[in-house]
Amino acid sequence: MIKSGFVSVVGRPNVGKSTLVNTIVGSKVSIVSFKPQTTRDVIRGIYNDEDCQIVFTDTPGIHKSEDSLGEIMNSNASNAIRDVDVVLMLVDVSKESNASDKYVIERIKNVGCPIILVMNKIDTKSKLELIPIVTHYASLGVFADIIPISALKETNLQELIKLIKSYLPEGPRYYPVTMVSDHPKTFSIAETVREKIFLNLSEEIPYSIGVYTEEINETEDKLKARIIVLVSRDSQKGIIIGDKGLMLKKIVKQAKEDLTKQVKKQVVLDVYVRVQKNWRNS
Ligand code: GDP
Ligand code: MG
């Protein structure tokens, strides 16, 4: 058994969430999306090594701008976050902690899974200057651990991964290792197909599905891609394919129309629906 799990990355804008995940995941782009029952989480990236898989997610609603505060307060963001194994809360040590940070902490503090405080951008401060910041966050009694890093300079990232691993349960690889690709379009192609599935079937497909681009072939005038839709049950496969394959045809047609506009060339999509038993059920 390896260790695996879902890690939600939260923090106010510009603290370095994207930089951190992109650096950990490498130059590779996450190409999957899934839809839990409560709200739609976005996968930021997937980290794989021999004995671990970390799925970094972005939980909508946790770190929106303050003007949508009211909306978030009664949203189900806290339900969504309950679905994850670890929360990483990022702060930017080059800036004073402010109301936004406090707000994020309020939102996550009762989440029921370990919260790791990640002090980012330590390259902008001396070690001495970091001490009162550590003391401040430690005194809140919210965090299971505190770690200083620099996502940009790649300082302490291996230690961060180790720390995350120490809080992850044993589990399967939720996503095949091949679900990461370095072609920039793989993500948007998979996203477009996923969008069309939920556009047509948001009521019927209440469980997690995974959509990813398995293969992509692009020439000057043509974009060809093979998309895999992963579901956990035969019945879901049947729904997506539809009577005489008509639903899948419709989904592919809509996705092709969108993608043709995006890439301005001929688009050929082969979409396969696969049932994978250990697929994450929400
Ligand atoms: P997000 O809004 O939380 O996703 O933040 P981004 O990842 O987009 O980063 C916001 C800005 O902070 C970018 O200009 C990054 O280059 C910068 N940044 C991220 N990490 C670090 C760091 O460790 N040190 C410094 N100095 N800048 C960083
Ligand atoms: Mg970002």
Side-chain angles (χ1 to χ4, degrees):
M1 257 313 206
I2 62 158
K3 287 202 156 188
S4 65
F6 287 70
V7 173
S8 181
V9 184
V10 306
R12 65 169 146 129
N14 286 318
V15 293
K17 298 179 296 291
S18 305
T19 309
L20 175 66
V21 174
N22 293 343
T23 309
I24 288 180
V25 172
S27 56
K28 301 186 168 198
V29 184
S30 146
I31 52 165
V32 277
S33 295
F34 76 114
K35 185 199 179 197
Q37 232 157 355
T38 42
T39 181
R40 196 171 75 192
D41 271 23
V42 177
I43 293 185
R44 285 176 175 274
I46 301 174
Y47 169 85
N48 281 290
D49 62 24
E50 323 71 61
D51 58 1
C52 156
Q53 179 173 72
I54 305 172
V55 184
F56 291 99
T57 71
D58 182 13
T59 304
I62 284 293
H63 46 76
K64 275 185 193 158
S65 65
E66 275 143 290
D67 39 77
S68 51
L69 226 150
E71 177 197 328
I72 306 160
M73 284 319 235
N74 48 34
S75 81
N76 55 6
S78 54
N79 293 336
I81 215 169
R82 236 175 267 142
D83 239 20
V84 302
D85 301 292
V86 174
V87 173
L88 290 189
M89 164 142 184
L90 261 72
V91 292
D92 175 350
V93 298
S94 71
K95 301 249 165 66
E96 289 289 317
S97 164
N98 70 6
S100 279
D101 291 324
K102 286 203 189 82
Y103 168 71
V104 176
I105 293 170
E106 277 308 305
R107 290 296 293 158
I108 61 175
K109 69 179 185 194
N110 296 321
V111 69
C113 71
I115 306 169
I116 300 174
L117 183 82
V118 179
M119 287 168 45
N120 190 30
K121 310 196 189 181
I122 57 166
D123 54 293
T124 63
K125 293 269 180 201
S126 71
K127 287 205 170 96
L128 270 180
E129 288 172 311
L130 295 177
I131 293 170
I133 306 176
V134 175
T135 310
H136 163 71
Y137 283 110
S139 75
L140 299 179
V142 169
F143 303 106
D145 247 304
I146 297 180
I147 182 169
I149 65 155
S150 169
L152 197 65
K153 308 278 185 208
E154 305 189 18
T155 311
N156 254 359
L157 298 190
Q158 281 311 314
E159 287 73 12
L160 175 61
I161 290 168
K162 249 191 240 160
L163 190 61
I164 294 170
K165 271 189 201 179
S166 73
Y167 288 102
L168 288 182
E170 289 193 333
R173 276 186 213 277
Y174 292 105
Y175 300 88
V177 177
T178 53
M179 269 192 167
V180 176
S181 158
D182 49 14
H183 194 293
K185 288 203 183 85
T186 51
F187 181 78
S188 54
I189 295 169
E191 270 296 295
T192 305
V193 173
R194 184 196 52 72
E195 189 187 289
K196 300 311 171 196
I197 292 172
F198 288 115
L199 182 74
N200 291 287
L201 298 166
S202 62
E203 299 300 313
E204 293 89 338
I205 302 291
Y207 300 101
S208 327
I209 67 161
V211 182
Y212 70 99
T213 307
E214 190 177 66
E215 205 181 305
I216 185 166
N217 211 313
E218 190 170 20
T219 59
E220 220 160 290
D221 54 359
K222 199 172 183 180
L223 175 74
K224 217 175 157 228
R226 179 209 292 265
I227 318 293
I228 308 296
V229 179
L230 278 184
V231 296
S232 47
R233 291 158 194 222
D234 290 328
S235 59
Q236 295 169 345
K237 179 175 174 175
I239 290 167
I240 293 177
I241 291 175
D243 189 24
K244 300 194 177 76
L246 284 180
M247 179 50 74
L248 188 59
K249 246 188 204 154
K250 186 174 170 192
I251 289 164
V252 170
K253 181 168 176 277
Q254 292 173 343
K256 262 174 66 171
E257 278 169 9
D258 270 24
L259 288 166
T260 306
K261 273 184 225 147
Q262 278 176 43
V263 300
K264 299 190 176 59
K265 54 178 90 170
Q266 193 197 345
V267 174
V268 181
L269 295 181
D270 293 322
V271 180
Y272 298 88
V273 186
R274 267 188 213 153
V275 181
Q276 188 167 309
K277 289 289 179 246
N278 65 356
W279 186 252
R280 191 171 209 241
N281 256 320
S282 35

